[in-house]
Amino acid sequence: MSSMTFGRAINAGLRKAMENDPKVVLMGEDIGKLGGVFRITDGLQKDFGEHRVMDSPLAEAGIMGTAIGMAYRGYRPVVEIQFDGFIYPAFDQIVCQVAKLHYRTQGKVKVPLTIRVPFGGGIGSPEHHSESPEAYFTHTSGLRVVSVSNPQDAYTVIQQAIASDDPVLYFEPKRRYHVKGEVNEDIDLGAESMGSARVVTEGSDVTLVTYGPLVPTARDAAVAASDDGVSVEVIDLRSLAPIDFATVEASVRKTGRLVITHEAAQSGGLGAEIAASITERCFYYLEHAPVRITGFDIPYPYSKLEFHHLPDLDRILDGVDRVMGRTNSLSSLEG
Amino acid sequence: MSPAQDEDFVQLLTPSGARTSGEYDRWVEDVDDNVLMSLYEDMVVVRRIDAEATALQRQGELALWPPLLGQEASQIGSARALRTDDFVFSSYREHGVAYCRGVDLTDMTRVWRGNASSGWDPFEINMATPQVIIGAQTLHAVGYGMAIINDGDDAAAITYFGDGATSQGDVNEAMVFAASYQAPVIFFCQNNQWAISEPVGLQAHVPIARRAPGFGIPSVRVDGNDVLATLAVTREALERARTGGGPTYIEALTYRMGPHTTADDPTKYRDANELEDWAAKDPIARLAAYLEERGLFTEDFKASVKAKADDVAREMRAGCVNMAEPETMDVFKNVYSSPNSWLDRQQDHYARYLATIDDTAADAEGTK
C-alpha cells in the first residue's frame, strides 16, 4: 500500500497499463511534456516516448477519429479530453463511430478505447470547464461509462477500462484530484468487476446513491444524518452505464427510501433513470417516492454562483428529511 | 468557369481514347495489354454490378442503392494500385473499390437489403465498412496510418470521400493530423460534381485539390474518368506513403451519372445537357477506343467480358434474393463485447414477451 493523490493514482494506473501492454497509447492536448493541464500524464512521455504518448493537434473530433483508426490496427488508445465542456466536437465520432462500430460489424471491429474526461464543478473556472455531460453518453448504446471517487478506484478502474474490449468513458472528478488515499498497487484487477457498485457506508433508513465528486459529500451527509438519528447507506455507483441495479435494489429493499444526488442537471439525467428503474424493480418496498438532489436545469453558472448549483451536504440532508417524512424545505408544498 | 470545369489535370487517355504522354508515364510503364484488358473488364463488371443492384432495388429486393455509374475509372484505377495489406476507409459509393478488394458478391448487397449493418468482415479484405456519416472515415484512415508508423510498416491507408465531404470538419481535421504526424495516407476525393442536389461550387470556390497544400499536403488533380491516370497518381501517392513521404491528396474529377441514391431524382436539380457532356467523357468508352486502336478490342474479348459481367451479376442477384434472414434475437447481439446487465435484462424481457405471443398463437391454434 502507498499513499497517493487521486491524480497520481490515475497516473500510476496508466503507467501500469502501458507497461503491461505495448499497444496502449495515449493521445490528447498538452499531455506530453506538460503532462496535461492537470498533470495526470506527468512523466509518461519521457518514459514511454513520443510514439506512445502523443500530443495531438487541438481538435477533439480529430483525436477521437484517429484513435478509432489506431484501434482498427490493434491499438488500445487512451485519449484525454482536456475539460468536460470540450468533448462536444468529438460527439459525432463517439456516438456514431466509437459506440456503434462493434454492433455495425457484428463484433469484428473492436474499439478498446478509453476516453478520459475530467468533469464536474467546484473549481471556480469559467464556462465549459465544470460540466457533467455523462448522461449524453449513458444514453448511447455501445459505450460503457464509469466514474471514480477515490484513489484506489481511480487506479484500479483506469486499468480495467483500458483492458475492456468495449469503449469506456472514464469520468474523473477534477475537484478531487488532490485528495489523498491508500492505494494497493498489486490489486487483482479481476477481483471486482468494473461495473459493480460499492456500498461506502452501510445504513438502514435511507439509500443515498451517488458517484464521482459527490461521494465524499454523501459520506459526510451520512455522518451528519446519523447524528440526527437517521441511518444512511451510501452507494458509490462507479459504473454509470450499465448501473449495477442489483446492489441499489438490495439496499432499497432494506431501507425503503431512495435519494439520488449528482452534479448534472436534473431533467433527463441519471437520477431519473435510477428513480424509474428502482421504482419498477421494488415499488412495494418504497416508503416514499425517490428524491433527486441535483444540479439545476441551467447552463453551468459563473463561479460565484456555482455552489448554489452544486448539491452540498445540507441539500442532501434536506432530501433525506423528505424521504423520512420529516420537516423539510418542501413541507409546505407537501401539506 | 466553375472549378469543376477547370481541366488542368493529369490525363493519360483523352476522352476519345488517345494516349497522351507526360511525366506520369513512368507510373504505368508496366501496364501491358493484359493489364489494360483487365482494367477494362473490371470497369465493365462494376458497371454491371451497379446496374444489377439498381434493378434489384427497383424490384423491391434492395431498400436502397447508391449508384457509382460514371465513377468506374476513379475507383478501379485507384483500387488496383493498392496492395493487399493496405487498408481502405471508404464512403458508401465505392462498390468498384470493394470489388477490387475481393468482396463477396452477396456481401455487396447485404447492407442495402437491410440484412446487416456491415456487408463484410473488414479484416478479411482490409476494407472498413463503408461509412455513412460524411467524411468521418477520413480520420479513421489517418489514425490507421499513424498506427502503421508506430508499427514500422510500409503499408498505407487510403480514404475515399466526395466533394461534399470536403466541407466537413472531420476531413479538414484529418488533413491536419495527417500532415502533423506525416501519416502514410492517401486522401482520394472523387469530385463527382454533385453532393445530392448541391453543385461542387457550393462547397468550394477554388479547385478542391488546392486546399491540401495549405495543410502541408501535396495534391494532384487527375482526370477521374481516365483509369490509367488514376492508377498512375495513386501509385505515386502510395510510393510517397511507403517511403516516409507522408500523405497525398488526390482530386479525381469525375461525374455521378446517376442519382445520389435510388431514392433521388436528379432531373429536379440538374441540366440534361450536363449529363450529355459527361457521357462524352465516359471512362469505359475511352478505354474501349484505346483497346480498339491497339487491336485488342476483338469480338472474342468483348464476348468474354460480357460473359464475366453476366456471371457476376447472376451470382450477385442469386446471393441477394436467397440471403438468409437475420435471427430475431440478433437485434441484441454485439452491442458490447461482454455481458451488459441493462441489455441482458431487456433481452430477457423481450424473449418473455415473444414467448407470450407464441403461446397466444398456439392457444388460438388449439381452439380452432
Side-chain angles (χ1 to χ4, degrees):
Chain A
M1 296 286 259
S2 46
S3 175
M4 62 178 84
T5 63
F6 196 116
R8 203 67 207 167
I10 302 172
N11 180 281
L14 289 168
R15 178 179 292 277
K16 190 82 172 279
M18 295 183 79
E19 283 167 358
N20 290 342
D21 184 351
K23 292 293 187 188
V24 175
V25 291
L26 273 49
M27 276 180 79
E29 297 160 5
D30 305 299
I31 68 164
K33 273 195 182 138
L34 182 65
V37 295
F38 293 109
R39 310 293 182 267
I40 303 301
T41 55
D42 188 38
L44 296 177
Q45 188 182 64
K46 186 170 141 285
D47 294 342
F48 292 96
E50 290 182 4
H51 281 300
R52 293 192 65 195
V53 181
M54 294 180 278
D55 272 326
S56 71
L58 267 66
E60 288 77 12
I63 295 170
M64 210 59 65
T66 53
I68 292 167
M70 296 196 82
Y72 257 100
R73 214 175 146 89
Y75 282 81
R76 286 185 181 273
V78 182
V79 304
E80 176 176 303
I81 297 295
Q82 197 160 67
F83 280 90
D84 35 58
F86 303 170
I87 199 168
Y88 309 112
F91 198 71
D92 172 69
Q93 286 286 344
I94 297 173
V95 171
C96 294
Q97 312 299 334
V98 172
K100 296 185 170 81
L101 264 166
H102 193 263
Y103 190 75
R104 181 180 304 150
T105 61
Q106 286 100 50
K108 304 297 186 200
V109 177
K110 297 195 189 314
V111 188
L113 177 61
T114 302
I115 303 168
R116 291 183 38 241
V117 191
F119 87 122
I123 63 164
S125 270
E127 212 183 346
H128 313 298
H129 292 71
S130 300
E131 300 186 7
S132 297
E134 59 272 23
Y136 293 119
F137 303 101
T138 60
H139 193 64
T140 300
S141 305
L143 301 174
R144 290 182 185 268
V145 182
V146 298
S147 184
V148 282
S149 69
N150 61 78
Q152 179 69 66
D153 283 347
Y155 175 78
T156 306
V157 176
I158 188 67
Q159 292 179 74
Q160 291 174 324
I162 293 168
S164 168
D165 278 343
D166 292 320
V168 180
L169 278 108
Y170 178 91
F171 281 99
E172 306 169 4
K174 65 173 93 75
R175 68 164 140 148
R176 307 292 183 191
Y177 275 148
H178 63 282
V179 171
K180 272 197 161 182
E182 290 297 315
V183 175
N184 174 7
E185 293 186 65
D186 300 318
I187 196 164
D188 173 12
L189 294 180
E192 217 176 19
S193 151
M194 180 175 72
S196 64
R198 182 172 60 104
V199 176
V200 179
T201 309
E202 289 195 14
S204 52
D205 296 325
V206 176
T207 299
L208 174 57
V209 172
T210 190
Y211 53 89
L214 289 182
V215 171
T217 315
R219 203 173 43 217
D220 292 347
V223 172
S226 104
D227 291 345
D228 211 18
V230 179
S231 171
V232 174
E233 179 149 299
V234 176
I235 294 179
D236 177 357
L237 289 176
R238 297 198 287 198
S239 175
L240 311 183
I243 288 171
D244 173 10
F245 280 125
T247 297
V248 182
E249 184 181 346
S251 176
V252 173
R253 280 175 186 247
K254 182 174 70 177
T255 62
R257 300 175 188 87
L258 174 63
V259 175
I260 307 133
T261 184
H262 55 60
E263 291 187 13
Q266 183 165 94
S267 301
L270 271 177
E273 178 56 41
I274 296 163
S277 287
I278 289 302
T279 304
E280 281 175 355
R281 288 168 193 240
C282 44
F283 179 70
Y284 292 107
Y285 292 81
L286 288 170
E287 303 283 346
H288 192 281
V291 163
R292 290 171 289 169
I293 304 297
T294 70
F296 305 120
D297 293 355
I298 56 173
Y300 198 86
Y302 29 101
S303 59
K304 287 277 173 63
L305 292 182
E306 71 178 327
F307 289 101
H308 291 287
H309 174 68
L310 295 170
D312 62 10
L313 185 143
D314 288 326
R315 276 178 64 198
I316 292 171
L317 288 176
D318 190 48
V320 168
D321 283 340
R322 279 172 67 191
V323 296
M324 289 300 292
R326 295 180 167 199
T327 303
N328 66 82
S329 63
L330 300 184
S331 292
S332 57
L333 294 178
E334 286 163 357
Chain B
M1 186 189 287
S2 90
Q5 275 101 44
D6 179 353
E7 291 194 352
D8 176 19
F9 54 29
V10 176
Q11 187 184 66
L12 299 178
L13 274 182
T14 68
S16 60
R19 180 75 166 82
T20 62
S21 64
E23 56 170 325
Y24 277 86
D25 285 344
R26 70 187 184 96
W27 294 103
V28 290
E29 268 172 1
D30 63 321
V31 175
D32 59 17
D33 289 348
N34 285 331
V35 175
L36 280 176
M37 290 193 291
S38 72
L39 288 168
Y40 178 83
E41 180 189 284
D42 282 356
M43 289 199 291
V44 171
V45 168
V46 299
R47 181 169 288 188
R48 183 59 202 272
I49 285 172
D50 197 55
E52 195 70 16
T54 299
L56 283 164
Q57 193 279 333
R58 298 300 184 224
Q59 293 156 6
E61 297 291 348
L62 296 180
L64 192 73
W65 180 258
L68 65 70
L69 186 66
Q71 299 177 221
E72 295 86 355
S74 288
Q75 296 189 15
I76 300 300
S78 57
R80 287 279 299 266
L82 302 175
R83 270 187 351 212
T84 309
D85 64 337
D86 295 329
F87 210 102
V88 176
F89 293 88
S90 78
S91 156
Y92 43 78
R93 204 183 300 285
E94 278 71 63
H95 318 299
V97 177
Y99 176 73
C100 291
R101 298 305 281 174
V103 166
D104 177 88
L105 293 166
T106 303
D107 289 347
M108 196 88 83
T109 61
R110 206 172 288 281
V111 167
W112 308 103
R113 194 169 166 86
N115 284 44
S117 298
S118 179
W120 55 80
D121 175 349
F123 299 113
E124 272 185 13
I125 54 165
N126 283 350
M127 177 168 177
T129 305
Q131 182 59 245
V132 176
I133 300 294
I134 301 300
Q137 74 279 10
T138 56
L139 282 166
H140 306 166
V142 175
Y144 193 90
M146 289 159 62
I148 289 173
I149 295 176
N150 275 17
D151 292 342
D153 198 356
D154 74 343
I158 183 167
T159 179
Y160 290 88
F161 52 99
D163 42 298
T166 61
S167 297
Q168 287 281 1
D170 277 5
V171 176
N172 289 274
E173 291 188 23
M175 289 201 274
V176 171
F177 277 64
S180 294
Y181 296 105
Q182 286 296 288
V185 175
I186 291 134
F187 291 89
F188 197 96
C189 173
Q190 288 172 86
N191 175 358
N192 69 10
Q193 316 302 324
W194 292 93
I196 307 188
S197 70
E198 299 187 348
V200 63
L202 196 62
Q203 318 292 340
H205 265 274
V206 296
I208 291 169
R210 274 202 221 156
R211 288 185 188 169
F215 289 92
I217 299 176
S219 70
V220 59
R221 296 188 103 203
V222 63
D223 182 342
N225 284 7
D226 173 354
V227 73
L228 276 186
T230 56
L231 178 70
V233 297
T234 310
R235 282 176 165 186
E236 180 194 43
L238 283 165
E239 177 67 13
R240 183 177 293 132
R242 297 194 204 293
T243 53
T248 304
Y249 190 101
I250 297 169
E251 179 190 359
L253 287 155
T254 182
Y255 193 76
R256 194 194 76 210
M257 299 292 285
H260 165 68
T261 68
T262 45
D264 180 34
D265 176 9
T267 63
K268 281 192 175 306
Y269 54 80
R270 68 184 185 188
D271 194 338
N273 294 334
E274 189 178 283
L275 201 62
E276 273 177 40
D277 290 348
W278 280 92
K281 303 181 207 171
D282 186 77
I284 295 179
R286 81 171 70 178
L287 185 55
Y290 183 51
L291 291 173
E292 177 88 59
E293 182 205 307
R294 295 175 71 83
L296 302 168
F297 206 55
T298 62
E299 289 308 316
D300 278 358
F301 174 64
K302 281 190 272 185
S304 85
V305 170
K306 183 176 185 308
K308 169 81 180 187
D310 286 346
D311 284 350
V312 165
R314 202 177 301 119
E315 186 186 333
M316 187 179 80
R317 169 175 287 271
C320 176
V321 301
N322 297 316
M323 200 179 292
E325 290 300 303
E327 300 291 328
T328 301
M329 296 314 259
D330 284 355
V331 76
F332 294 103
K333 271 192 193 159
N334 289 312
V335 181
Y336 302 93
S337 61
S338 55
N340 181 289
S341 56
W342 283 358
L343 193 57
D344 291 349
R345 182 180 164 96
Q346 289 174 19
Q347 179 171 351
D348 175 58
H349 287 193
Y350 191 56
R352 288 168 190 274
Y353 166 76
L354 289 179
T356 61
I357 291 178
D358 290 347
D359 289 349
T360 309
D363 288 348
E365 228 23 57
T367 55
K368 261 185 197 164

